[in-house]
Amino acid sequence: MAVTESVADYLEAIMVLQAQKSRVRAVDIANYFGYSRPTVSQTLKAFRSKGYVEVGDDGFIRLTEQGRQIAQDTYDRHLLLTDVLMAIGVSEETAKIDACKLEHDISDETYQCLRAFFQKRT
């Protein structure tokens, strides 16, 4: 399974939910996205087979190191792009929505250059 936009978004959501709730279940992910529980269960099954998540006997979902890295990288891109967009005058709400779209579409080279540029400015 390639790290597609959907994969990155799911893993990022799990990380965000873990920060909010500490323990995450499939129903929490379903509610977060507005997806059905069977859809989320199928996705989690695929993620387990690829080593992105573990599901304990208690039903709680945990990111593996590989899953956490993908989630963190996606989240870091999202935060930087939100800041960049807001710095040029985009409203916070629109910046967050647009950053979610952009985080998957810009090249790593562009992301690294933006990051370096904005780190120098702050």
Side-chain angles (χ1 to χ4, degrees), residues 76 80 84 110-120:
D76 289 347
L80 175 73
V84 167
T110 299
Y111 168 72
Q112 295 300 333
C113 289
L114 281 170
R115 194 173 101 191
F117 179 80
F118 276 86
Q119 283 177 341
K120 288 178 189 175

Side-chain angles (χ1 to χ4, degrees), residues 53-115:
V53 300
E54 297 171 343
V55 180
D57 292 336
D58 55 8
F60 292 110
I61 300 158
R62 294 165 194 83
L63 292 170
T64 63
E65 181 57 32
Q66 181 183 9
R68 188 202 60 73
Q69 188 61 54
I70 294 166
Q72 189 65 56
D73 290 347
T74 304
Y75 188 66
D76 289 347
R77 280 178 173 248
H78 184 89
L79 292 178
L80 175 73
L81 291 167
T82 299
D83 289 346
V84 167
L85 294 171
M86 289 173 55
I88 62 170
V90 176
S91 71
E92 182 176 1
E93 182 179 337
T94 301
K96 286 179 180 181
I97 292 167
D98 288 349
C100 192
K101 297 171 189 171
L102 292 169
E103 70 194 17
H104 303 291
D105 290 333
I106 65 169
S107 68
D108 191 53
E109 177 185 0
T110 299
Y111 168 72
Q112 295 300 333
C113 289
L114 281 170
R115 194 173 101 191

Side-chain angles (χ1 to χ4, degrees), residues 9-22:
D9 285 345
Y10 259 93
L11 297 174
E12 181 183 18
I14 294 168
M15 186 182 78
V16 167
L17 287 166
Q18 283 178 332
Q20 294 171 355
K21 304 174 70 111
S22 158

